[in-house]
Amino acid sequence: MFARGLKRKCAEDEEAAPAYSLQRQSLLDMSLVKLQLCHMLVEPNLCRSVLIANTVRQIQEEMTQDGSWCVPVPQTAGRASRDRLVSTEILCRSAREGARPAPDPGDPASELQVVPAAQAPGVPPGGVWDGDGPRENRGSFHKSLDQIFETLESQSPGAVEELFSDVDGSYYDLDAVLTGMVGGAKSGQDGLEAFASTAAPPPSAGCKSDLGELDHVVEILVET
Amino acid sequence: MIPGIGAFTWDTLWCFSQVKGTMETGTTEADIISTVEFNHTGELLATGDKGGRVVIFQREQESKNQVHRRGEYNVYSTFQSHEPEFDYLKSLEIEEKINKIRWLPQQNAAYFLLSTNDKTVKLWKVSERDKRPEGYNLKDEEGRLRDPATITTLRVPVLRPMDLMVEATPRRVFANAHTYHINSISVNSDYETYMSADDLRINLWNFEITNQSFNIVDIKPANMEELTEVITAAEFHPHHCNTFVYSSSKGTIRLCDMRASALCDRHTKFFEEPEDPSNRSFFSEIISSISDVKFSHSGRYIMTRDYLTVKVWDLNMENRPIETYQVHDYLRSKLCSLYENDCIFDKFECVWNGSDSVIMTGSYNNFFRMFDRNTKRDVTLEASRENSKPRAILKPRKVCVGGKRRKDEISVDSLDFSKKILHTAWHPSENIIAVAATNNLYIFQDKVN
């Protein structure tokens, strides 16, 4: 696609600057699409998502420093766009969660309909409970793509932030539910975790029963 | 060159030995090999695939009649290790793909290995049965029950020889301990414990206990919005049962001592190379992400693989690696395309040879690379059906970067990025290597004169 990997160009290189900006913008667009596409996957690769999100942050930071990133006029207190350029919440959000769009009351800057806001910790999100059908999921995916493309045109950082800041922390708190740890906070205790086996599907029928050598001999002798 | 010692010199010639797998071009995805591992003696070679199957090959005894042909690997056991599952809580499928296999050292007649998919680790026992009990009292030879009234004498069943049967049984299932995808398992040198690592946590298990594990590393931030780094690989020290390392997506390695505290979030050593400012780009972080980390057999060094290089680190020096080898630096100018087609996220593994003098890793176009740490020489070889005549010597390959392409060279733009060698294994003491090329397993040996 490009002859070279994108590198920072000299500030004096006036002619190359627009080309560099175009390349950088193109990379940003590609990255955002990649992040969104992870909603379609079975369970997205967290490492890949984190790396892409970090790349998007880098680009946005550079664009902000260059001044090519417009700052929206109304700023909600405590939500500086520099600090939370891209929320990682988009990571691993499955398509079904996009099926329940709800406007985020806290963000006046967004023109887009924001996908689900945070739920109370411990409450598992999901189509399992809501009974969302696959049709709805597909529709929401198209909507999310539209949101992305709208965002790319408007280039307002607040909008991008809103696209990705649907805080669904409860998704990650699922492991808190499973592990019995509180709120994802690191436990300073011995870390011993006991796991209930209820969620585990039964082993496949092909597995043999667990017999020790002695059991095997006894089995022969009692002719079971 | 002394055969059997495993010393690698520049004069070592690698020959094709065997290839396992179908030759058809239309591959089912389930057959794609996802992990390869020799056991501690090299007698057994295990592969895991995307379909959740494990295939174990056993080296045949070397025959005195055919000195020129070293022992070949033949199928010893095949079993379905993991099945696809559905996580009802998250409404997500759990892939059955085998991410890693690790052998336990042999302690009796049976073989034990750990195999894992994204969520569940299983301990498998592979044992031979060559005798069968005969002479039951209550049942006849076909297994039908006999009328008790007709039984007038008792006898003790005896074991009689039968055709060798190899059975694999799951002895332990270690489940429900990982929210994120397991990327590594490592058996501890105490042979009583092992660890499993996912993107954000590492758990320590006792082989005998399946319903509990100790969490020893947890890098999950309290606020997931702050997540910028994940665990990519982890391994125990080969001799010190209290020491392990784990690598991250930011190109760092942390060495931890379990004696220091129960939760090893504070590392004992931190290995990171300072960034080269002249090479900085938007892809710098992605290509610095470590895809594999391996202790040397001696335990003095660790080797890491990132997208373009293999690095060797001395445990006593944290600020930079002692050796850096370029695997395919010609890709540096193609990073944007490789980002677009996701190849930049490919996770290549790396391996040491038995004497820690040579390291090997895979590349694209079914190429794999070996680096001799002593002579500083390297070679590029190819795993392909065209080079698959018995004992055919592998010809070194070369990628042409620019300018005039010589006759046998291949240009960077002609490389096939769908043919990637992610998984390789090196026999613990001999010059025998196993190379997984998609759905085929190639075994190469050095030339015996």
Side-chain angles (χ1 to χ4, degrees), chain A residues 193-222:
Chain A
E193 297 175 359
F195 294 98
S197 59
T198 48
S204 70
C207 290
K208 295 193 176 183
S209 55
D210 194 347
L211 293 174
E213 294 298 329
L214 185 60
D215 291 343
H216 186 53
V217 171
V218 171
E219 186 195 54
I220 295 173
L221 290 176
V222 300

Side-chain angles (χ1 to χ4, degrees), chain A residues 1-3 6 31 34 42-43 48 54 58 88 96 128 167 172 175 195 208 210 213 216 223, chain B residues 90-93 125 137-138 167 171 176 179 201 225 228 280-281 285 333 336-337 339-340 342:
Chain A
M1 190 174 166
F2 299 128
L6 292 184
S31 303
K34 276 185 185 299
V42 168
E43 194 167 11
R48 176 178 172 274
N54 289 351
Q58 276 182 58
T88 320
R96 57 174 169 78
V128 178
V167 179
Y172 299 102
D175 69 301
F195 294 98
K208 295 193 176 183
D210 194 347
E213 294 298 329
H216 186 53
E223 301 184 22
Chain B
K90 295 185 194 173
S91 294
L92 291 171
E93 272 194 16
K125 174 182 178 183
N137 291 294
L138 298 178
E167 351 175 77
R171 299 303 294 240
N176 301 325
T179 307
R201 298 191 175 102
E225 286 183 22
T228 58
R280 177 115 185 87
S281 75
E285 184 181 315
S333 56
C336 205
S337 309
Y339 179 72
E340 189 185 13
D342 265 11

Side-chain angles (χ1 to χ4, degrees), chain A residues 4 8 25-26 37 44 47 55 60 85 98 107-108 127 136-137 141 154 167 169 188 214:
Chain A
R4 300 173 55 79
R8 298 190 71 100
Q25 184 61 48
S26 179
L37 275 178
C47 181
T55 306
Q60 290 178 330
L85 290 171
D107 181 49
E136 224 165 323
N137 289 341
F141 171 72
S154 67
V167 179
L214 185 60

Side-chain angles (χ1 to χ4, degrees), chain A residues 111-128:
Chain A
E111 299 170 347
L112 309 170
Q113 193 171 17
V114 178
V115 284
Q119 299 180 2
V123 175
V128 178

Side-chain angles (χ1 to χ4, degrees), chain A residues 145-223:
Chain A
L145 262 187
D146 289 343
Q147 287 170 353
I148 286 203
F149 294 134
E150 262 184 86
T151 303
L152 300 176
E153 286 169 11
S154 67
Q155 277 228 18
S156 124
V160 174
E161 179 186 287
E162 280 326 299
L163 187 62
F164 296 126
S165 70
D166 50 320
V167 179
D168 201 354
S170 60
Y171 182 84
Y172 299 102
D173 288 343
L174 272 180
D175 69 301
V177 171
L178 289 172
T179 64
M181 289 166 65
V182 177
K186 295 173 193 185
S187 165
Q189 303 123 16
D190 60 3
L192 183 64
E193 297 175 359
F195 294 98
S197 59
T198 48
S204 70
C207 290
K208 295 193 176 183
S209 55
D210 194 347
L211 293 174
E213 294 298 329
L214 185 60
D215 291 343
H216 186 53
V217 171
V218 171
E219 186 195 54
I220 295 173
L221 290 176
V222 300
E223 301 184 22

Side-chain angles (χ1 to χ4, degrees), chain B residues 373-428:
Chain B
R373 298 178 59 215
N374 300 322
T375 65
K376 300 304 180 197
R377 285 170 141 152
D378 61 85
V379 66
T380 304
L381 300 172
E382 182 181 0
S384 75
R385 293 276 176 174
E386 286 78 45
N387 304 331
S388 301
K389 297 186 184 39
R391 294 185 299 285
I393 296 175
L394 294 181
K395 210 165 75 121
R397 302 304 309 266
K398 195 149 161 38
V399 176
C400 160
V401 182
K404 224 164 143 40
R405 185 179 76 87
R406 292 210 193 95
K407 192 167 77 89
D408 289 331
E409 291 179 356
I410 180 167
S411 74
V412 183
D413 298 312
S414 310
L415 294 173
D416 187 343
F417 289 92
S418 68
K419 293 186 182 166
K420 47 194 91 175
I421 301 221
L422 305 173
H423 315 287
T424 61
W426 203 310
H427 188 285

Side-chain angles (χ1 to χ4, degrees), chain B residues 3 15 21 31 38 69 83 85 120 149 176 184 193 221 234 248 279 309 437:
Chain B
C15 305
D31 294 333
F38 280 99
R69 210 184 76 165
E83 301 272 6
E85 288 174 32
T120 303
N176 301 325
S184 311
T193 57
S248 84
N279 260 339
T309 72

